[in-house]
Amino acid sequence: MTFSIVARTADGLVHGVAVASKFLAAGALVPAAAAEVGAVASQAHANLAYRAQGLALLRTGVAAADVVAGLVAADPGRDDRQLGVVGTTGDGATWTGPRCHPWAGGQSGDGWAAQGNILAGPEVVDALRDAWLAGTELPFPQRLLAALAAGDRAGGDRRGRQSAALLVVRRGGGYGGTGDEVVDLRVDDHRDPVAELGRLLDIHQMLFGEQDPATLLALTGPVAEEVATLLAAAGHPVGAPGLDDALASWAGVENLEERILPGRIDPVVLDHLRRVAAQASAA
């Protein structure tokens, strides 16, 4: 009752799953991923054990195709299951049980696997594939989302829309470097979940996206004067500790602390500060 893509970056260091379904909170059931290990999607009459078992097999160096073969061979309910797996090297792999509701099927290639059931038709998986292969210039989370959106535009789940999710992992890539979950976003019940997932990813990118060192602005001269004025308008006037402390205090309230560096300001942060100051002034 779902369509999904599991994939990795070319260097095998980043893995992810994107999924959408006419099913409540598909993101709670379908995706699993581990940094520098791989990613798994279990769907249709999902066997939730596939997720941990698949990742455990990938950790031992088992190829994706052999992971799929091993999981379904040991499962008496395999004819109703659908599964996608990708490891750190080689082709992804996919399984569609013969009792999955039509249209159901999947495709795989180097570093990816796409699959779905109760779909509008095979064109949904074709669209997932084509968008993934064409998206090499996109950041990895946005590339996964672009593939999911292409599948949605191609008809997606033929019963309609309800939920979507995006999971991306990289070693130390999580909040403050204390975890591996670069992106873990879910839309559990929404009339246009893939579009809503895109909106959430944009917010996530603003708050937690990696800074571009080439764009950082020095907190000196006119930039420092503007920031001080904006902070005062936003209710965080610069006091004795100085501009850096006032900016960090405001950023903590706005959940932008991951984008703060002493002596410089990210243009993404500056743009948001301008919006907040304008709203405060208009209130």
Side-chain angles (χ1 to χ4, degrees):
M1 302 169 281
T2 303
F3 59 101
S4 68
I5 181 167
V6 296
R8 68 160 186 271
T9 53
D11 60 11
L13 298 179
V14 186
H15 290 82
V17 185
V19 57
S21 181
K22 179 63 172 69
F23 189 90
L24 180 68
L29 303 178
V30 173
E36 299 179 18
V37 173
V40 176
S42 174
Q43 55 200 53
H45 286 274
N47 183 339
L48 301 188
Y50 278 1
R51 300 177 303 174
Q53 291 170 356
L55 292 174
L57 289 168
L58 289 169
R59 283 189 180 91
T60 68
V62 177
D66 293 330
V67 170
V68 169
L71 290 176
V72 301
D75 182 6
R78 59 185 170 272
D79 286 355
D80 297 303
R81 314 286 194 208
Q82 196 166 50
L83 174 65
V85 176
V86 67
T88 57
T89 60
D91 287 354
T94 186
W95 160 266
T96 298
R99 285 205 300 262
C100 288
H101 292 294
W103 186 88
Q107 300 179 34
S108 61
D110 185 16
W112 64 275
Q115 47 281 316
N117 62 96
I118 318 187
L119 300 184
E123 63 271 17
V124 177
V125 173
D126 289 345
L128 285 164
R129 175 202 64 206
D130 292 346
W132 171 256
L133 294 176
T136 54
E137 299 304 314
L138 294 173
F140 185 74
Q142 284 77 6
R143 187 179 180 187
L144 282 171
L145 181 62
L148 195 70
D152 193 47
R153 290 192 299 271
D157 188 323
R158 64 182 171 85
R159 300 166 308 154
R161 301 179 172 97
Q162 187 169 9
S163 65
L166 178 64
L167 174 64
V168 175
V169 296
R170 185 185 74 239
R171 182 77 64 201
Y175 180 80
T178 58
D180 298 336
E181 295 79 13
V182 179
V183 177
D184 189 359
L185 296 174
R186 282 174 32 184
V187 178
D188 286 345
D189 186 22
H190 196 279
R191 65 181 58 190
D192 194 359
V194 175
E196 177 66 4
L197 187 63
R199 186 185 73 84
L200 295 180
L201 182 59
D202 287 343
I203 296 172
H204 186 280
Q205 179 65 22
M206 181 189 75
L207 296 175
F208 309 117
E210 293 184 357
Q211 297 159 330
D212 181 355
T215 67
L216 296 177
L217 303 172
L219 276 174
T220 58
V223 173
E225 293 174 6
E226 181 189 9
V227 169
T229 300
L230 294 171
L231 286 170
H236 288 261
V238 177
L243 183 57
D244 276 334
D245 285 347
L247 180 58
S249 175
W250 168 82
V253 172
E254 294 293 318
N255 300 316
L256 282 160
E257 61 274 8
E258 288 285 278
R259 282 190 173 271
I260 294 299
L261 289 172
R264 291 175 288 176
I265 187 169
D266 189 324
V268 172
V269 174
L270 181 55
D271 286 345
H272 186 66
L273 176 57
R274 287 168 175 158
R275 288 192 295 270
V276 169
Q279 291 167 359
S281 297

